[in-house]
Amino acid sequence: MHAANDVISEDRFNRPCSFGDTFNVTQNSLALNVALALARLFDVSDPARHPVEQQDKASIPVLAHLFRRQDVQETLAANAREWHPQLTDGAKLGEASCREASSKALALCEMYVNSPSHQKAQSRLRSFRTGRLAHHLFDDQPTDLPRFDDLDALADFAGEFVRAAVLAVEGHDRDLGHEEEIKWKMDKTFWEVALSTALAADQ
């Protein structure tokens, strides 16, 4: 989405075209796909009806709940002591890295979950997912729709949390910035070709 917006804002593409609606439909489809993926990442059922530990969901709230458990923390720390067997004091190094990453993941949760802007963004996304994407035959459609900045904020938080979580569990620093840079270049090339073709066909 961002690559498309960056390209179409360039002077050579930023002019009226009969294919404008096609571009808008494509962007809307991308936004819906991102919204659905994020809704899954932040999904959690009512703990009073379904204990969090028994929820079979790859979601940040479920993972954060598990990270808060003392037995989970100790198990992760014990496993981390085996990360660097070739190093002197490798066991201490691994355990320290694990505990630090776990604490960072939980601190990120506390910071974002308690943020009013995050709560509003997540509320809009949840209502949109339930009322429009998952159960689109409901009579009452959500009026407070998620915005692009909602998706950006939630995605940024998810990336930070997952990076800390992967480090705590596996000992790998999974920074998605490099992959994002590669993907952005590929997307930019695609949109340059697509928009150039659309403008040429429009002439």
Side-chain angles (χ1 to χ4, degrees), residues 142-188:
T143 56
D144 195 11
L145 302 180
R147 303 185 295 257
F148 273 13
D149 56 347
D150 288 342
L151 302 181
D152 284 340
L154 293 171
D156 288 344
F157 162 55
E160 291 183 65
F161 179 86
V162 168
R163 181 179 183 181
V166 170
L167 180 56
V169 176
E170 300 180 357
H172 302 301
D173 186 6
R174 184 69 187 277
D175 182 3
L176 298 177
H178 180 62
E179 287 88 344
E180 183 179 353
E181 182 179 349
I182 294 174
K183 186 69 167 57
W184 188 87
K185 291 179 180 179
M186 295 171 58
D187 291 343
K188 186 173 186 293

Side-chain angles (χ1 to χ4, degrees), residues 8-53:
I8 204 169
S9 65
E10 297 178 8
D11 291 339
R12 53 184 171 146
F13 298 121
N14 191 13
R15 62 179 186 268
C17 174
S18 60
F19 294 102
D21 286 342
T22 303
F23 175 82
N24 290 334
V25 168
T26 303
Q27 281 291 75
N28 186 55
S29 297
L30 290 173
L32 290 177
N33 187 55
V34 172
L36 184 57
L38 287 171
R40 289 172 175 165
L41 276 177
F42 289 95
D43 188 30
V44 63
S45 301
D46 182 2
R49 298 177 57 191
H50 306 283
V52 178
E53 291 88 347

